[in-house]
Amino acid sequence: MMETSPTRNRTRSQQWFERAQQSLVEGVNSPSRGAAVYVPGPTVLERGQGSHVWDADGNEYIDFMMSFGALIQGHAHPALVKTVSETMAEGSHFAASTSAEIDAAERFRRMVPSAEVVRFTNTGSEATMLALRLARAHTGRSKFLKFEGHYHGWYDPYLLNAHSHPPGLLGSVENPARIPDSAGIPPSTFDDVVLAPWNDVPALENVMRQHGRDLAAVITEPIMANMGCILPRDGYLPRLRQLTRDCGALLILDEVVTGFRYAPGGCQEYYGVQPDIGTFGKALGAGFPVGAVAGPRSILDRMRWSANMVLHYGTFNGHRLTMKVVATNLDMLSAEGAYRKLHAVGNAAIAGLREVFRQQQVRAIVQGFGPMFQIYFTERDAIHDYRDYCRYVDTKLYSRFVHRLLERGVYMTPSNGLHWIISTAHTDADVQALLQAAGQSCSGLS
């Protein structure tokens, strides 16, 4: 059995973190990487290869975070390294029309069921911003519905109830409390936001009866990935699709996390739900920053130059180097057996972790399937929504568990609201090493 290596010495990581605080806010460029999550501070990573990473002290880890899901092919895949090297030698970016963006778009359209046309952006946040603007222009309406606990990027109108809070602050299911996720946003920004619980058909039907005819769009993650990995109840996504059609609101399926992960066409293919607009990112770029908005011409053609166009600019849209990487990545994901392996390795990890917790008599569940899952320390049999997560999940115990894994050579974020990621580089040996480290890390958690 493959074993992980102890990682007791992280002196250089701490030194780098102390140095970073002189130049960077909190010593990082995103709070999910800093001391708000990692205690006493982040592990500073220096290189990666396949499913493994090495830190500033030379410690080796099996990486199950995979850049929050962006590294679908693992670290430094030879085919992607070759693409990057060859492309850089000819020029990385022109801010002009290139054959690279056309090649990438054609591959995208072949894989994504709803993609009659596609527009590339630089991030998932930009993609969801553009999707909402398109929906408002297409319907002539301004309001939109977002769900508790879902995250659609850091665009102002989306930043309601995306963080967990004490249950007493959440309000009722019928009238959820509106809790901004950031300072600096005028309250009027949320005047056009309708907030609702997710994964609850009666609550959904009620809110659509009240507000449906005023909504430009309903935006949803197909799998709730901002609170770990919460699957939709049977029939929930088809009912959402039906209700949005009935009231003339567009369905925006935010696949920034799930796109190209569960199937070639993402969750819309896996669950058989056709959105009006789909947004993508993360796994699309295999480690390079990119986003995309896809859908029918009748909606996306509103970006055509005219007096009433939907404006979308961007110097780095269709970045040549990134487009070359996207094309290579999508070719690799289209290869026979790519998704079978992702699902097989992920399902083995999930089944193995469940057995570890059973043997260790630890009250924990593992939710998800295939290439994405999350562990919840809870007495519940399942976590179905944001309110379940806020009420029943012991996020502090999860953080303790993951910090122990870090000491045993498994790299993962201690934030319970994120998720474990399987890449094409992960192996059965990686899974066995994880299970051994997990068993060793359970002491005192029961």
Side-chain angles (χ1 to χ4, degrees), residues 129-156:
M129 290 163 61
L130 177 57
L132 181 57
R133 183 176 292 179
L134 283 164
R136 285 169 161 168
H138 189 72
T139 62
R141 304 172 183 177
S142 60
K143 291 184 180 294
F144 73 96
L145 187 152
K146 85 165 291 278
F147 293 103
E148 293 179 316
H150 288 214
Y151 178 75
H152 305 293
W154 59 282
Y155 183 41
D156 282 6

Side-chain angles (χ1 to χ4, degrees), residues 69-74 76 80 281-290 325-326 329:
L71 294 171
I72 189 74
Q73 307 291 358
L80 297 177
K282 293 190 186 295
L284 173 62
F288 279 70
V290 70
V325 169
V326 166
N329 177 41

Side-chain angles (χ1 to χ4, degrees), residues 38 62-70 411-413 418-421 426:
Y38 294 90
I62 306 171
D63 183 3
F64 286 98
M65 192 182 80
M66 284 289 153
S67 296
F68 302 119
Y411 186 77
M412 182 55 193
T413 171
L418 291 163
H419 29 261
W420 292 68
I421 293 292
H426 283 98

